[in-house]
């Protein structure tokens, strides 16, 4: 952040000709205009306007996203092509900010085992989705998703949308900061059954990584241990693709961050 003393020093050090050229380029003055203001006052006023213009543009270009989350029993309606879908969410993550952000991909650098991912090729190089092999739960006698990692973007959800937890009730949500990334960690109990006998799913583990300046959201969640979820999350390397994601790229302003398969 630039302080006032720095700005004043910069203004006093600007030559009058440079000020006039800059003013002409930005449209603040017309070419060959006769300037009768006191040189120091003119320089101060014009350079201040130029710096304000540049800082405003830079702030708009960077963009700052904000996220809030809360329990929700709201009924959501989304249109996919010609199909309209309605559901009731358990928990909602809502976002404010610009309608575009940089596109990113991630690389996996840590896994609980060498054959953890399926297919294994998805975890090599840049990707936007990777799924772990199913793990067998002896208590319930079923195979369950070990881990899913994928990317979503805040611009999809601005202006009334939401990233929704459907079929899961989260417990306490803790927040940490890893560098520039906000990290939300929680366990969530499934509210749906796994068979016709209405046997309940066990608790799932969730780690949500959110970059407030760049707008990407990476979910790491599954029925593997929280220790492994955190290990995978800490090992992710996120890299830009040089493309931009726009709100208009998404068919719906809603999406899910549940533990799914496929």
């Amino acid at each position: 952040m630039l302080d006032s003393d720095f700005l004043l020093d910069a203004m006093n050090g600007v030559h009058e000709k440079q000020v006039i050229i800059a003013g002409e380029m930005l449209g603040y003055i017309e070419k060959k205009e006769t300037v009768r203001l006191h040189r120091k006052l003119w320089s101060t006023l014009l350079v201040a306007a130029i710096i304000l213009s540049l800082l405003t543009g830079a702030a708009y270009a960077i963009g700052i996203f904000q996220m809030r989350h809360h329990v929700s029993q709201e009924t959501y309606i989304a249109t996919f092509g010609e199909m309209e879908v309605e559901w009731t969410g358990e928990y909602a993550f809502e976002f404010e900010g610009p309608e575009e952000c940089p596109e990113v991909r991630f690389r996996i650098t840590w896994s609980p085992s060498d054959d953890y991912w399926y297919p294994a090729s998805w975890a090599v190089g840049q990707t936007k989705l990777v799924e772990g092999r199913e793990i067998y739960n002896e208590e319930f006698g079923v195979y369950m998703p070990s881990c899913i990692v994928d990317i979503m973007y805040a611009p999809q959800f601005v202006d009334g949308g939401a990233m929704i937890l459907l079929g899961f009730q989260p417990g306490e949500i803790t927040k940490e900061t890893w560098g520039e990334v906000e990290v939300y960690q929680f366990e969530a109990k499934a509210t749906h059954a796994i068979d016709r006998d209405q046997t309940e799913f066990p608790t799932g583990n969730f780690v949500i990584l959110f970059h407030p300046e760049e707008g990407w959201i990476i979910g790491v969640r599954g029925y593997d241990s929280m220790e492994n979820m955190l290990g995978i999350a800490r090992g992710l390397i996120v890299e830009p693709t040089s493309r931009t994601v726009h709100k208009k790229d998404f068919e719906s302003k809603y999406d899910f961050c549940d533990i799914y398969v496929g």
Side-chain angles (χ1 to χ4, degrees):
M1 180 65 68
L2 298 177
D3 59 36
S4 57
D5 292 336
F6 181 88
L7 290 175
L8 288 174
D9 290 342
M11 294 173 186
N12 292 332
V14 176
H15 192 278
E16 182 177 5
K17 290 183 180 179
Q18 294 173 315
V19 172
I20 294 174
I21 293 172
E24 291 174 348
M25 292 178 63
L26 290 173
Y28 289 106
I29 61 175
E30 296 179 2
K31 292 184 179 182
K32 299 182 180 180
E33 179 179 346
T34 302
V35 180
R36 300 185 183 278
L37 288 175
H38 186 277
R39 178 179 180 274
K40 189 171 184 179
L41 175 60
W42 167 252
S43 298
T44 300
L45 293 175
L46 187 54
V47 174
I50 293 171
I51 292 176
L52 177 61
S53 174
L54 293 175
L55 291 180
T56 301
Y60 176 80
I62 294 174
I64 299 296
F65 295 89
Q66 295 180 333
M67 180 178 79
R68 68 186 185 97
H69 53 90
H70 59 87
V71 175
S72 174
Q73 289 298 318
E74 181 179 350
T75 298
Y76 299 94
I77 300 176
T79 301
F80 299 92
E82 298 181 355
M83 181 176 61
E84 192 173 84
V85 180
E86 179 178 323
W87 66 90
T88 301
E90 303 278 356
Y91 206 85
F93 297 85
E94 298 174 344
F95 298 83
E96 295 180 359
E99 294 191 354
E100 63 178 39
C101 71
E103 183 187 57
V104 297
R105 293 289 187 268
F106 62 82
R107 288 194 290 120
I108 300 288
T109 66
W110 183 87
S111 302
S113 63
D114 292 338
D115 61 346
Y116 190 79
W117 305 104
Y118 181 80
S121 59
W122 284 21
V124 179
Q126 287 190 343
T127 184
K128 60 180 180 179
L129 168 69
V130 65
E131 300 181 7
R133 294 180 183 274
E134 291 186 328
I135 55 178
Y136 184 72
N137 186 297
E138 295 183 358
E139 179 183 357
F140 296 94
V142 294
Y143 284 92
M144 310 174 69
S146 57
C147 180
I148 300 104
V149 187
D150 63 5
I151 300 172
M152 285 182 273
Y153 297 94
Q156 177 180 2
F157 310 115
V158 300
D159 192 24
M163 185 175 72
I164 301 167
L165 198 59
L166 181 68
F168 288 87
Q169 291 180 343
E172 180 184 2
I173 298 178
T174 62
K175 176 185 175 183
E176 298 180 359
T177 301
W178 298 352
E180 299 177 343
V181 179
E182 295 179 0
V183 182
Y184 298 84
Q185 173 185 337
F186 58 94
E187 296 179 351
K189 181 180 180 181
T191 58
H192 54 280
I194 62 176
D195 55 29
R196 294 181 179 180
D197 295 329
Q198 298 298 299
T199 305
E200 293 184 352
F201 259 104
T203 298
N205 295 307
F206 292 74
V207 178
I208 296 178
L209 310 177
F210 169 52
H211 199 301
E213 290 191 1
E214 297 181 3
W216 53 258
I217 309 150
I218 296 182
V220 182
R221 67 273 194 203
Y223 289 105
D224 204 347
S225 68
M226 179 62 80
E227 180 182 4
N228 283 343
M229 297 297 104
L230 288 169
I232 293 166
R234 288 187 181 278
L236 294 177
I237 295 179
V238 181
E239 302 170 327
T241 67
S242 77
R243 292 186 290 271
T244 300
V245 173
H246 300 268
K247 178 178 177 62
K248 62 184 180 181
D249 296 335
F250 302 94
E251 193 171 5
S252 171
K253 61 182 179 181
Y254 302 107
D255 211 336
F256 306 103
C257 57
D258 301 318
I259 301 173
Y260 60 84
V261 179

